[in-house]
Amino acid sequence: MEGAVSYQRFPKVRIREIKDDYMKFELRETDASIANALRRVMIAEVPTVAIDLVEIEVNSTVLNDEFIAHRLGLVPLTSDDAMRMRLSRDCDSCDGDGQCEFCSVEFHLNVSCDSDQTLDVTSADLRSTEPRVCPVDVAARALSLGVDSTSYDTGDHRGILIVKLRRGQELRLRAIARKGIGKDHAKWSPAATVTFMYEPEIHINEELMETLTLEEKRNWIDSSPTKVFDIDPNTHQVVVVDAEAYTYDDEVIKKAEAMGKPGLIEIYGKEDSFIFTVESTGAIKAYQLVINAIEILRQKLDAVRLQDSEESDFGELSAHL
Amino acid sequence: MNAPDRYERFVVPEGTKKVSYERDTKIVNAASFTVEREDHTIGNIIRMQLHRDPNVLFAGYKLPHPLQYKILVRIHTTSQSSPTQAYGQAIEDLDKELQYLKKALEEEKVRYEENLRQGY
Ligand SMILES: [Zn+2]
């Protein structure tokens, strides 16, 4: 493809906030197709590890085997290694068995109740054979206890409830966690929510606005279901206090028209600026989720390239002549 | 019991090509690409990237049916280019954009954390 011109874009990012399971950032100078592809990949195609096979040895609980297997699958597991792990489907070390160290992690659970008090079986009862893969709530607690035992509220936090046992009931099982993606089953999705919005651009027609009385201004401001505008207490001018609170509901525009002041306000979504909110389940950190999504999208693009042998039809014109 | 395997949604069956294309029989420099086991995620970014190419007269994609796990991308270019060239260029540009984005995000994180340290 020598001499081919490039139509590449150079997007800009600005991080507003990062926490382990939360991230807010601005993405600019690209279009909605890229923003949406990233969102879709974060939800459905960034891999994690989740319990996928359960062998029940004893289950005398009130829940049936498949119900418990399903609940175990939904427990988020720390998946920092998932990008490096193999999918059982194409693991050649275990020949499709999906139980080797390269493509799986084994868990054991063994709880029985012999008191009159109800016993909770939780994620904390899952014993992993690989310390790097364990329930995320257990990992978070271990981390906060190690650093500062008072910082985390340890009072009522006893893990993710799987089933409750009464006297004489028992649950014993072996579980295999495997790498997978949300497209296969939602239990593998690392994303709790991923959203993006267009950055709003709000223009107030100041001249027209000054034809309104203070009372009319208040009425107009109150027509917005979210708090986007307010009145400056000194100048009595209408000001934008939070442009991003606008939900593109058009209410203020309709209100202006109803008041006989069309054109009082104009609001556009800037089509190349997005505000992303990413919430992770904890399986991977929110920031890492975004990075992994970019990497996965690149891998997907790489897979849809035409093979070199097919790409040699530059002489198409001559073929037609 | 006879439900199809879930992975059929994203694993290309053996003996099937990931990407194939067919030239239009009536129009010069027009072709349809069939991309197996892909959806709107890939289809839409390729289409939008193709629209940035002035030699592309038409670019569109469709997901013919939700249970047929493939997309069709149709491209018509001027004689200055060809559908395969435009397709390849679009992927190349998208890949470079994402590579750039990843680097920008990593640098931004360093800056963000530096600001935090300075008690912003
Ligand atoms: Zn294996």
Side-chain angles (χ1 to χ4, degrees):
Chain A
M1 219 167 293
E2 66 280 57
V5 251
S6 170
Y7 307 104
Q8 190 202 335
R9 277 172 301 216
F10 299 91
K12 307 281 177 288
V13 258
R14 198 182 77 84
I15 295 170
R16 287 194 183 167
E17 193 182 354
I18 295 185
K19 285 191 245 157
D20 277 358
D21 55 5
Y22 177 85
M23 178 169 170
K24 203 170 182 107
F25 66 99
E26 296 158 10
L27 176 65
R28 293 171 201 283
E29 293 174 46
T30 188
D31 73 354
S33 70
I34 291 288
N36 196 42
L38 285 173
R39 183 191 65 86
R40 287 173 62 99
V41 170
M42 281 189 244
I43 291 168
E45 299 192 60
V46 171
T48 67
V49 181
I51 289 175
D52 194 35
L53 182 91
V54 180
E55 279 176 12
I56 308 260
E57 287 163 37
V58 180
N59 175 18
S60 53
T61 72
V62 292
L63 299 185
N64 60 50
D65 294 1
E66 36 277 76
F67 201 127
I68 288 171
H70 178 240
R71 290 182 68 76
L72 288 168
L74 296 177
V75 174
L77 305 176
T78 49
S79 306
D80 297 313
D81 295 340
M83 289 289 276
R84 261 166 283 141
M85 261 174 90
R86 291 183 195 166
L87 285 160
S88 295
R89 206 179 319 112
D90 29 61
C91 176
D92 40 30
S93 305
C94 58
D95 246 11
D97 190 35
Q99 306 212 5
C100 79
E101 56 182 310
F102 300 106
C103 68
S104 69
V105 175
E106 193 173 324
F107 283 84
H108 290 271
L109 187 142
N110 185 356
V111 187
S112 54
C113 175
D114 38 36
S115 79
D116 278 331
Q117 226 193 347
T118 311
L119 182 68
D120 291 349
V121 181
T122 72
S123 54
D125 294 309
L126 278 168
R127 284 185 295 106
S128 172
T129 53
E130 164 58 60
R132 286 183 63 78
V133 179
C134 67
V136 296
D137 59 305
V138 175
R141 204 143 17 108
L143 205 66
S144 67
L145 283 175
V147 180
D148 174 14
S149 55
T150 54
S151 69
Y152 201 78
D153 104 84
T154 44
D156 202 38
H157 195 92
R158 279 171 313 209
I160 301 165
L161 186 63
I162 293 161
V163 63
K164 291 184 178 187
L165 307 185
R166 61 168 292 173
R167 183 193 274 282
Q169 292 179 341
E170 186 183 3
L171 181 62
R172 198 158 78 219
L173 56 88
R174 187 178 85 99
I176 300 291
R178 295 188 177 125
K179 174 180 173 172
I181 57 172
K183 220 179 196 183
D184 190 344
H185 190 290
K187 70 183 175 186
W188 277 299
S189 177
T193 48
V194 183
T195 62
F196 69 84
M197 70 178 284
Y198 287 115
E199 185 175 61
E201 198 173 48
I202 303 178
H203 300 284
I204 300 173
N205 184 335
E206 298 291 354
E207 210 176 304
L208 201 54
M209 188 61 84
E210 282 321 302
T211 64
L212 266 61
T213 64
L214 190 58
E215 184 59 25
E216 284 175 316
K217 284 178 185 171
R218 285 214 181 90
N219 278 333
W220 179 78
I221 287 167
D222 290 341
S223 72
S224 176
T226 52
K227 196 157 179 55
V228 180
F229 305 95
D230 205 350
I231 290 176
D232 188 302
N234 299 316
T235 65
H236 289 187
Q237 271 185 317
V238 174
V239 288
V240 178
V241 285
D242 186 4
E244 282 164 33
Y246 185 59
T247 57
Y248 295 92
D249 47 63
D250 279 1
E251 291 296 332
V252 285
I253 295 163
K254 284 184 206 150
K255 179 70 177 175
E257 281 165 13
M259 291 166 79
K261 307 277 179 189
L264 179 67
I265 187 100
E266 279 184 273
I267 309 179
Y268 307 103
K270 283 168 130 183
E271 287 189 14
D272 70 340
S273 294
F274 310 94
I275 300 150
F276 267 83
T277 308
V278 178
E279 275 181 62
S280 149
T281 59
I284 43 180
K285 290 196 168 113
Y287 167 77
Q288 197 58 45
L289 174 53
V290 182
I291 291 284
N292 289 359
I294 298 172
E295 202 43 52
I296 296 283
L297 194 52
R298 286 191 68 198
Q299 287 171 17
K300 283 172 72 71
L301 279 168
D302 201 48
V304 301
R305 280 194 158 95
L306 272 173
Q307 298 310 306
D308 286 335
S309 56
E310 302 167 277
E311 218 165 331
S312 53
D313 77 331
F314 290 101
E316 190 181 348
L317 194 61
S318 55
H320 273 267
L321 289 173
Chain B
M1 230 167 63
N2 59 355
D5 289 316
R6 286 196 309 249
Y7 63 75
E8 279 189 22
R9 272 160 54 80
F10 49 86
V11 178
V12 182
E14 239 165 281
T16 313
K17 267 175 138 181
K18 181 78 180 174
V19 192
S20 55
Y21 83 101
E22 208 174 325
R23 273 189 221 162
D24 193 288
T25 50
K26 296 197 181 79
I27 308 165
V28 187
N29 285 314
S32 272
F33 296 74
T34 304
V35 187
E36 281 292 338
R37 314 290 131 151
E38 291 297 343
D39 56 19
H40 302 287
T41 306
I42 286 294
N44 198 33
I45 51 172
I46 290 182
R47 173 183 73 124
M48 293 310 283
Q49 187 65 38
L50 283 163
H51 287 171
R52 291 174 64 78
D53 185 340
N55 285 320
V56 170
L57 300 172
F58 175 86
Y61 86 98
K62 68 175 171 183
L63 190 104
H65 186 95
L67 293 175
Q68 273 183 305
Y69 307 115
K70 64 177 180 193
I71 52 166
L72 302 178
V73 183
R74 193 172 154 74
I75 307 172
H76 183 189
T77 70
T78 64
S79 56
Q80 309 302 305
S81 185
S82 74
T84 48
Q85 191 186 342
Y87 179 86
Q89 185 64 41
I91 289 172
E92 191 59 35
D93 289 343
L94 284 168
D95 186 62
K96 280 192 281 181
E97 173 173 349
L98 288 168
Q99 193 178 3
Y100 180 88
L101 175 63
K102 189 179 175 191
K103 200 167 138 271
L105 183 58
E106 283 164 350
E107 286 168 2
E108 169 64 6
K109 186 171 183 257
V110 172
R111 192 199 63 84
Y112 171 82
E113 283 173 346
E114 186 55 37
N115 279 352
L116 272 191
R117 256 194 299 282
Q118 290 173 1
Y120 241 108

